């Protein structure tokens, strides 16, 4: 059972939460949704709102859902779900029902799908989307190291409109 909590009462390290624990980025509807594992992203304050920053490569199937929908979710799990996170990061929803295959149970908020197995969920409303422009890299090493295939991410900024925590 999830309960809505006040974002200002949260106490965690966003660096380890995203980089080490990972998250699932999910968007879609009851009819069809998709998810992907991410270890890049950010949480912060922008435009007088609490926001998330997510980055999705153009070949990822989830990008189609993020672009189509107004909302997305970010789900964080405990270590018992590492296998599911690995699976969702290595399979495409174009080829398989990876949510089912990963053993995850979708829950449908009025805005975005998330997962029953999550411990913490952010429901986010898209505010901005923009492709990463390699001409804007000040440090040229980023282009060569992070984009050898020139598959530059699309960045989205989403207002965090709801935080749910497993009770």
């Amino acid at each position: 059972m999830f309960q809505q909590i006040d974002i200002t009462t949260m106490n965690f390290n966003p660096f380890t939460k995203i980089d080490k624990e990972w998250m699932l980025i999910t968007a879609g509807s009851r009819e069809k949704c998709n998810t992907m594992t991410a270890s890049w992203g950010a949480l912060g304050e922008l435009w007088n709102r609490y926001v998330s920053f997510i980055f999705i490569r153009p070949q990822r199937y989830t990008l189609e859902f993020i672009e189509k929908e107004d909302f997305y979710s970010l789900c964080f799990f405990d270590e018992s779900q590492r296998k599911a996170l690995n699976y969702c990061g290595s399979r495409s929803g174009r080829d398989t029902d990876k949510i089912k295959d990963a053993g995850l149970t979708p829950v449908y908020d009025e805005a975005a799908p998330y997962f029953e197995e999550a411990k913490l969920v952010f429901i986010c409303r898209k505010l901005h989307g923009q492709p990463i422009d390699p001409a804007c890299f000040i440090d040229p090493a980023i282009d060569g190291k992070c984009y050898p295939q020139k598959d530059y991410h699309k960045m989205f900024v989403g207002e965090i409109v709801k935080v749910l925590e497993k009770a």
Side-chain angles (χ1 to χ4, degrees), residues 60-150:
R60 296 300 298 259
Y61 186 46
T62 303
L63 181 59
E64 295 175 29
F65 292 84
I66 295 290
E67 288 182 323
K68 178 181 175 188
E69 301 296 334
D70 293 329
F71 292 84
Y72 59 88
S73 70
L74 304 179
C75 293
F76 297 91
F77 301 82
D78 64 25
E79 197 58 33
S80 70
Q81 295 299 320
R82 180 63 64 176
K83 186 175 177 182
L85 287 163
N86 278 316
Y87 188 85
C88 290
S90 63
R91 303 292 190 287
S92 174
R94 284 187 191 99
D95 306 325
T96 184
D97 184 349
K98 71 177 178 178
I99 292 171
K100 178 182 172 194
D101 295 346
L104 296 172
T105 310
V107 176
Y108 296 94
D109 182 82
E110 64 273 5
Y114 61 97
F115 299 103
E116 179 63 36
E117 294 78 10
K119 297 296 181 193
L120 180 66
V121 177
F122 294 108
I123 304 294
C124 305
R125 182 175 63 86
K126 284 188 316 188
L127 299 174
H128 181 75
Q130 180 175 340
I132 296 293
D133 180 354
C136 295
F137 288 131
I138 295 168
D139 180 347
I142 294 170
D143 193 6
K145 183 178 179 184
C146 298
Y147 298 101
Q149 298 176 346
K150 306 301 181 199

